[in-house]
């Protein structure tokens, strides 16, 4: 006699239980249901932003809004690794098989401090970068190191963010003029990405572009420029 198991998954967005037929992604007993996934707003391939001063372009994957934002915050600040793996699967599908990253050699995730790594048990950017790595067939290289602990950028003004990350990062990999993709979990003002890009260039990287898991666009009426340098 065949036994049928109706496994249920709890959605990281709406927190409801669903059968497998009603979900978009699963990770262990967690999921993103079809309804919540409909609230994910991906950027099209054309929605890239021109950067400046040694950064070729910014390629955001999703908009940092609504249910995506809720799941992301649970991942980043509540150590919910299931949420991170589910977001990673969504990123994989959103960026899979693009050919606009040809000529780049590595994906380098923004480094976490030892304190935050120990608190969370993982580097949130590195985990997401591994999904993006599989999607565009480039290896992840943990070349960046965070040599100082700093206050979370989300708590600070733009001016304070520059001071907060100055001298925080180092690179222990000797690049030989390779082109590098910097992966950041979320891009808001670009201050962290700015500092990381400078460090990568000093270590010998040639071109640096940025893939961001999400782009936190400024509110309507605010400056919508890309604050990289």
């Amino acid at each position: 006699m065949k036994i049928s198991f109706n496994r249920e998954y709890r959605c990281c967005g709406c927190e409801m239980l669903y059968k497998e037929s009603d979900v978009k992604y699963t990770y262990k007993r967690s999921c993103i249901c079809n309804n919540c996934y409909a609230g994910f707003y991906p950027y099209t391939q054309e929605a890239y932003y021109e950067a400046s001063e040694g950064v070729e372009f910014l390629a955001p994957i999703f908009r940092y809004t609504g249910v995506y934002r809720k799941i992301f915050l649970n991942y980043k600040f509540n150590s919910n690794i299931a949420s991170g793996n589910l977001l990673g699967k969504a990123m994989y599908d959103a960026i899979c098989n693009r050919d606009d990253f040809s000529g780049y050699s590595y994906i380098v995730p923004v480094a976490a401090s030892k304190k935050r790594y120990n608190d969370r048990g993982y580097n949130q950017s590195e985990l997401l970068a591994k999904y993006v790595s599989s999607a565009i067939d480039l290896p992840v290289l943990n070349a960046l190191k965070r040599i100082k602990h700093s206050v979370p950028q989300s708590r600070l003004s733009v001016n304070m963010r520059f001071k907060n990350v100055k001298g925080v990062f180092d690179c222990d990999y000797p690049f030989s003029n390779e082109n590098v993709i910097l992966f950041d979990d979320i891009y808001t003002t670009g201050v962290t990405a700015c500092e990381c890009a400078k460090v990568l260039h000093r270590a010998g990287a040639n071109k640096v572009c940025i893939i961001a898991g999400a782009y936190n666009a400024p509110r309507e009426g605010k400056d919508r420029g890309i604050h990289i340098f």
Side-chain angles (χ1 to χ4, degrees), residues 188-210:
T188 302
T189 60
V191 171
T192 300
C194 159
E195 190 67 19
C196 290
K198 289 177 182 177
V199 170
L200 292 172
H201 280 300
R202 284 200 298 266
N206 180 25
K207 294 180 181 179
V208 176
C209 77
I210 301 164

PDB file of all heavy atoms in Angstrom, residues 188-210:
ATOM      1  N   THR A 188      22.195  50.596  -0.534  1.00  0.00           N
ATOM      2  CA  THR A 188      21.379  51.768  -0.214  1.00  0.00           C
ATOM      3  C   THR A 188      22.081  53.038  -0.684  1.00  0.00           C
ATOM      4  O   THR A 188      21.683  53.655  -1.660  1.00  0.00           O
ATOM      5  CB  THR A 188      21.093  51.843   1.296  1.00  0.00           C
ATOM      6  OG1 THR A 188      20.435  50.639   1.700  1.00  0.00           O
ATOM      7  CG2 THR A 188      20.174  53.009   1.621  1.00  0.00           C
ATOM      8  N   THR A 189      23.134  53.439  -0.026  1.00  0.00           N
ATOM      9  CA  THR A 189      23.888  54.637  -0.422  1.00  0.00           C
ATOM     10  C   THR A 189      25.148  54.287  -1.208  1.00  0.00           C
ATOM     11  O   THR A 189      25.739  55.160  -1.844  1.00  0.00           O
ATOM     12  CB  THR A 189      24.304  55.438   0.818  1.00  0.00           C
ATOM     13  OG1 THR A 189      25.135  54.617   1.647  1.00  0.00           O
ATOM     14  CG2 THR A 189      23.078  55.888   1.612  1.00  0.00           C
ATOM     15  N   GLY A 190      25.590  53.040  -1.139  1.00  0.00           N
ATOM     16  CA  GLY A 190      26.805  52.647  -1.836  1.00  0.00           C
ATOM     17  C   GLY A 190      28.070  52.890  -1.057  1.00  0.00           C
ATOM     18  O   GLY A 190      29.170  52.655  -1.569  1.00  0.00           O
ATOM     19  N   VAL A 191      27.974  53.347   0.184  1.00  0.00           N
ATOM     20  CA  VAL A 191      29.162  53.690   0.953  1.00  0.00           C
ATOM     21  C   VAL A 191      30.013  52.449   1.248  1.00  0.00           C
ATOM     22  O   VAL A 191      31.234  52.467   1.077  1.00  0.00           O
ATOM     23  CB  VAL A 191      28.762  54.407   2.262  1.00  0.00           C
ATOM     24  CG1 VAL A 191      29.967  54.571   3.170  1.00  0.00           C
ATOM     25  CG2 VAL A 191      28.156  55.766   1.944  1.00  0.00           C
ATOM     26  N   THR A 192      29.373  51.373   1.686  1.00  0.00           N
ATOM     27  CA  THR A 192      30.122  50.136   1.962  1.00  0.00           C
ATOM     28  C   THR A 192      30.746  49.596   0.680  1.00  0.00           C
ATOM     29  O   THR A 192      31.921  49.198   0.656  1.00  0.00           O
ATOM     30  CB  THR A 192      29.204  49.081   2.591  1.00  0.00           C
ATOM     31  OG1 THR A 192      28.672  49.580   3.820  1.00  0.00           O
ATOM     32  CG2 THR A 192      29.970  47.791   2.873  1.00  0.00           C
ATOM     33  N   ALA A 193      29.968  49.577  -0.403  1.00  0.00           N
ATOM     34  CA  ALA A 193      30.486  49.100  -1.682  1.00  0.00           C
ATOM     35  C   ALA A 193      31.651  49.949  -2.156  1.00  0.00           C
ATOM     36  O   ALA A 193      32.634  49.431  -2.703  1.00  0.00           O
ATOM     37  CB  ALA A 193      29.371  49.100  -2.723  1.00  0.00           C
ATOM     38  N   CYS A 194      31.560  51.247  -1.936  1.00  0.00           N
ATOM     39  CA  CYS A 194      32.642  52.175  -2.294  1.00  0.00           C
ATOM     40  C   CYS A 194      33.947  51.771  -1.627  1.00  0.00           C
ATOM     41  O   CYS A 194      34.995  51.654  -2.266  1.00  0.00           O
ATOM     42  CB  CYS A 194      32.251  53.593  -1.877  1.00  0.00           C
ATOM     43  SG  CYS A 194      33.603  54.764  -1.674  1.00  0.00           S
ATOM     44  N   GLU A 195      33.886  51.552  -0.337  1.00  0.00           N
ATOM     45  CA  GLU A 195      35.095  51.219   0.410  1.00  0.00           C
ATOM     46  C   GLU A 195      35.652  49.866  -0.040  1.00  0.00           C
ATOM     47  O   GLU A 195      36.866  49.708  -0.212  1.00  0.00           O
ATOM     48  CB  GLU A 195      34.790  51.204   1.911  1.00  0.00           C
ATOM     49  CG  GLU A 195      36.017  51.098   2.793  1.00  0.00           C
ATOM     50  CD  GLU A 195      36.914  52.320   2.741  1.00  0.00           C
ATOM     51  OE1 GLU A 195      36.443  53.403   2.307  1.00  0.00           O
ATOM     52  OE2 GLU A 195      38.096  52.201   3.124  1.00  0.00           O
ATOM     53  N   CYS A 196      34.775  48.892  -0.258  1.00  0.00           N
ATOM     54  CA  CYS A 196      35.229  47.565  -0.704  1.00  0.00           C
ATOM     55  C   CYS A 196      35.865  47.637  -2.084  1.00  0.00           C
ATOM     56  O   CYS A 196      36.887  46.985  -2.348  1.00  0.00           O
ATOM     57  CB  CYS A 196      34.059  46.587  -0.714  1.00  0.00           C
ATOM     58  SG  CYS A 196      33.460  46.128   0.922  1.00  0.00           S
ATOM     59  N   ALA A 197      35.269  48.416  -2.980  1.00  0.00           N
ATOM     60  CA  ALA A 197      35.815  48.542  -4.330  1.00  0.00           C
ATOM     61  C   ALA A 197      37.218  49.155  -4.295  1.00  0.00           C
ATOM     62  O   ALA A 197      38.119  48.722  -5.020  1.00  0.00           O
ATOM     63  CB  ALA A 197      34.882  49.385  -5.192  1.00  0.00           C
ATOM     64  N   LYS A 198      37.415  50.167  -3.469  1.00  0.00           N
ATOM     65  CA  LYS A 198      38.745  50.770  -3.345  1.00  0.00           C
ATOM     66  C   LYS A 198      39.777  49.745  -2.890  1.00  0.00           C
ATOM     67  O   LYS A 198      40.904  49.698  -3.403  1.00  0.00           O
ATOM     68  CB  LYS A 198      38.693  51.925  -2.342  1.00  0.00           C
ATOM     69  CG  LYS A 198      37.958  53.151  -2.815  1.00  0.00           C
ATOM     70  CD  LYS A 198      37.918  54.203  -1.709  1.00  0.00           C
ATOM     71  CE  LYS A 198      37.143  55.437  -2.125  1.00  0.00           C
ATOM     72  NZ  LYS A 198      37.048  56.416  -1.023  1.00  0.00           N
ATOM     73  N   VAL A 199      39.397  48.929  -1.917  1.00  0.00           N
ATOM     74  CA  VAL A 199      40.310  47.912  -1.390  1.00  0.00           C
ATOM     75  C   VAL A 199      40.641  46.883  -2.467  1.00  0.00           C
ATOM     76  O   VAL A 199      41.794  46.456  -2.612  1.00  0.00           O
ATOM     77  CB  VAL A 199      39.692  47.241  -0.143  1.00  0.00           C
ATOM     78  CG1 VAL A 199      40.505  46.024   0.283  1.00  0.00           C
ATOM     79  CG2 VAL A 199      39.609  48.233   1.002  1.00  0.00           C
ATOM     80  N   LEU A 200      39.642  46.472  -3.257  1.00  0.00           N
ATOM     81  CA  LEU A 200      39.877  45.499  -4.327  1.00  0.00           C
ATOM     82  C   LEU A 200      40.808  46.065  -5.393  1.00  0.00           C
ATOM     83  O   LEU A 200      41.690  45.361  -5.900  1.00  0.00           O
ATOM     84  CB  LEU A 200      38.549  45.070  -4.955  1.00  0.00           C
ATOM     85  CG  LEU A 200      37.630  44.239  -4.060  1.00  0.00           C
ATOM     86  CD1 LEU A 200      36.269  44.038  -4.720  1.00  0.00           C
ATOM     87  CD2 LEU A 200      38.260  42.877  -3.740  1.00  0.00           C
ATOM     88  N   HIS A 201      40.628  47.329  -5.744  1.00  0.00           N
ATOM     89  CA  HIS A 201      41.526  47.958  -6.715  1.00  0.00           C
ATOM     90  C   HIS A 201      42.955  48.030  -6.175  1.00  0.00           C
ATOM     91  O   HIS A 201      43.914  47.763  -6.911  1.00  0.00           O
ATOM     92  CB  HIS A 201      41.026  49.353  -7.078  1.00  0.00           C
ATOM     93  CG  HIS A 201      39.927  49.368  -8.082  1.00  0.00           C
ATOM     94  ND1 HIS A 201      40.060  48.856  -9.353  1.00  0.00           N
ATOM     95  CD2 HIS A 201      38.648  49.829  -7.994  1.00  0.00           C
ATOM     96  CE1 HIS A 201      38.934  49.001 -10.021  1.00  0.00           C
ATOM     97  NE2 HIS A 201      38.055  49.590  -9.216  1.00  0.00           N
ATOM     98  N   ARG A 202      43.100  48.380  -4.907  1.00  0.00           N
ATOM     99  CA  ARG A 202      44.444  48.445  -4.323  1.00  0.00           C
ATOM    100  C   ARG A 202      45.114  47.072  -4.326  1.00  0.00           C
ATOM    101  O   ARG A 202      46.343  46.983  -4.375  1.00  0.00           O
ATOM    102  CB  ARG A 202      44.370  48.985  -2.894  1.00  0.00           C
ATOM    103  CG  ARG A 202      44.141  50.472  -2.806  1.00  0.00           C
ATOM    104  CD  ARG A 202      44.555  51.042  -1.450  1.00  0.00           C
ATOM    105  NE  ARG A 202      43.772  50.477  -0.360  1.00  0.00           N
ATOM    106  CZ  ARG A 202      42.673  51.025   0.141  1.00  0.00           C
ATOM    107  NH1 ARG A 202      42.197  52.159  -0.376  1.00  0.00           N
ATOM    108  NH2 ARG A 202      42.048  50.460   1.152  1.00  0.00           N
ATOM    109  N   ALA A 203      44.304  46.013  -4.278  1.00  0.00           N
ATOM    110  CA  ALA A 203      44.853  44.654  -4.272  1.00  0.00           C
ATOM    111  C   ALA A 203      45.153  44.145  -5.678  1.00  0.00           C
ATOM    112  O   ALA A 203      45.599  43.006  -5.835  1.00  0.00           O
ATOM    113  CB  ALA A 203      43.880  43.703  -3.582  1.00  0.00           C
ATOM    114  N   GLY A 204      44.906  44.964  -6.698  1.00  0.00           N
ATOM    115  CA  GLY A 204      45.279  44.589  -8.055  1.00  0.00           C
ATOM    116  C   GLY A 204      44.135  44.262  -8.984  1.00  0.00           C
ATOM    117  O   GLY A 204      44.363  43.891 -10.145  1.00  0.00           O
ATOM    118  N   ALA A 205      42.878  44.400  -8.516  1.00  0.00           N
ATOM    119  CA  ALA A 205      41.737  44.134  -9.391  1.00  0.00           C
ATOM    120  C   ALA A 205      41.661  45.203 -10.473  1.00  0.00           C
ATOM    121  O   ALA A 205      42.008  46.360 -10.252  1.00  0.00           O
ATOM    122  CB  ALA A 205      40.446  44.100  -8.587  1.00  0.00           C
ATOM    123  N   ASN A 206      41.189  44.816 -11.654  1.00  0.00           N
ATOM    124  CA  ASN A 206      41.044  45.757 -12.760  1.00  0.00           C
ATOM    125  C   ASN A 206      39.658  46.393 -12.694  1.00  0.00           C
ATOM    126  O   ASN A 206      39.458  47.381 -12.009  1.00  0.00           O
ATOM    127  CB  ASN A 206      41.265  45.024 -14.082  1.00  0.00           C
ATOM    128  CG  ASN A 206      41.140  45.929 -15.282  1.00  0.00           C
ATOM    129  OD1 ASN A 206      41.334  47.139 -15.182  1.00  0.00           O
ATOM    130  ND2 ASN A 206      40.775  45.363 -16.423  1.00  0.00           N
ATOM    131  N   LYS A 207      38.680  45.824 -13.355  1.00  0.00           N
ATOM    132  CA  LYS A 207      37.309  46.336 -13.287  1.00  0.00           C
ATOM    133  C   LYS A 207      36.593  45.747 -12.070  1.00  0.00           C
ATOM    134  O   LYS A 207      36.800  44.589 -11.721  1.00  0.00           O
ATOM    135  CB  LYS A 207      36.534  45.965 -14.551  1.00  0.00           C
ATOM    136  CG  LYS A 207      37.045  46.626 -15.819  1.00  0.00           C
ATOM    137  CD  LYS A 207      36.209  46.184 -17.004  1.00  0.00           C
ATOM    138  CE  LYS A 207      36.701  46.812 -18.292  1.00  0.00           C
ATOM    139  NZ  LYS A 207      35.888  46.346 -19.456  1.00  0.00           N
ATOM    140  N   VAL A 208      35.739  46.550 -11.472  1.00  0.00           N
ATOM    141  CA  VAL A 208      34.883  46.080 -10.379  1.00  0.00           C
ATOM    142  C   VAL A 208      33.451  46.508 -10.687  1.00  0.00           C
ATOM    143  O   VAL A 208      33.204  47.690 -10.958  1.00  0.00           O
ATOM    144  CB  VAL A 208      35.308  46.672  -9.014  1.00  0.00           C
ATOM    145  CG1 VAL A 208      34.326  46.233  -7.919  1.00  0.00           C
ATOM    146  CG2 VAL A 208      36.721  46.254  -8.657  1.00  0.00           C
ATOM    147  N   CYS A 209      32.532  45.550 -10.708  1.00  0.00           N
ATOM    148  CA  CYS A 209      31.122  45.896 -10.774  1.00  0.00           C
ATOM    149  C   CYS A 209      30.445  45.355  -9.520  1.00  0.00           C
ATOM    150  O   CYS A 209      31.044  44.585  -8.760  1.00  0.00           O
ATOM    151  CB  CYS A 209      30.456  45.349 -12.036  1.00  0.00           C
ATOM    152  SG  CYS A 209      30.083  43.578 -11.994  1.00  0.00           S
ATOM    153  N   ILE A 210      29.221  45.770  -9.280  1.00  0.00           N
ATOM    154  CA  ILE A 210      28.514  45.382  -8.065  1.00  0.00           C
ATOM    155  C   ILE A 210      27.206  44.682  -8.418  1.00  0.00           C
ATOM    156  O   ILE A 210      26.415  45.213  -9.207  1.00  0.00           O
ATOM    157  CB  ILE A 210      28.202  46.617  -7.193  1.00  0.00           C
ATOM    158  CG1 ILE A 210      29.477  47.357  -6.808  1.00  0.00           C
ATOM    159  CG2 ILE A 210      27.420  46.208  -5.934  1.00  0.00           C
ATOM    160  CD1 ILE A 210      29.232  48.762  -6.303  1.00  0.00           C
TER     161      ILE A 210
END
